[in-house]
Amino acid sequence: MSTPFTPDVVEAIKRHMNDDHADDALLICKGLGGQPEATGATTTGVDAEAIEFAAVVGGRDVTVRVPWSGTLTERAQVRMEVVRLYRDACAALGVPARGEH
């Protein structure tokens, strides 16, 4: 798992995702992560290539890695990619996306 992000940045991103966007993480795991039966998701990692979650499927944690659209080199790109993943997951699941993210 290569990363241009320091451990502090990764922790901040994980904390933000888990505190403010847990529902979005679940949608991403269900719609794009191959886990349509997931009932919960926690962001566990971020690197240059993907975001990683622990999805709860059938009462157990399953690792789900969802790739970015390209290799990331800057922290600001993470937000844009997560918003894209969220919108793509909503479209895949037939769920209306929130207007502003």
Side-chain angles (χ1 to χ4, degrees), residues 83-97:
V83 170
R84 181 190 62 77
L85 291 175
Y86 163 76
R87 290 183 178 148
D88 288 354
C90 287
L93 295 169
V95 174

Side-chain angles (χ1 to χ4, degrees), residues 1-18 42-54 64-68 70-79 81-82 85:
M1 188 159 52
S2 68
T3 185
F5 311 121
T6 65
D8 289 348
V9 167
V10 172
E11 286 303 314
I13 293 167
K14 289 173 16 182
R15 185 172 44 255
H16 175 72
M17 286 295 296
N18 292 326
T42 303
T43 303
T44 58
V46 176
D47 62 42
E49 306 300 327
I51 187 166
E52 193 166 283
F53 305 96
V64 175
R65 210 168 142 76
V66 181
W68 307 125
T71 301
L72 305 189
T73 58
E74 299 176 13
R75 181 180 182 169
Q77 294 171 299
V78 173
R79 182 184 188 282
E81 283 295 305
V82 169
L85 291 175

Side-chain angles (χ1 to χ4, degrees), residues 12-67:
I13 293 167
K14 289 173 16 182
R15 185 172 44 255
H16 175 72
M17 286 295 296
N18 292 326
D19 290 350
D20 298 339
H21 300 288
D23 292 341
D24 299 349
L26 177 58
L27 286 171
I28 292 167
C29 287
K30 290 173 89 165
L32 303 177
Q35 298 298 332
E37 302 301 317
T39 58
T42 303
T43 303
T44 58
V46 176
D47 62 42
E49 306 300 327
I51 187 166
E52 193 166 283
F53 305 96
V56 179
V57 181
R60 63 183 182 90
D61 284 351
V62 174
T63 300
V64 175
R65 210 168 142 76
V66 181

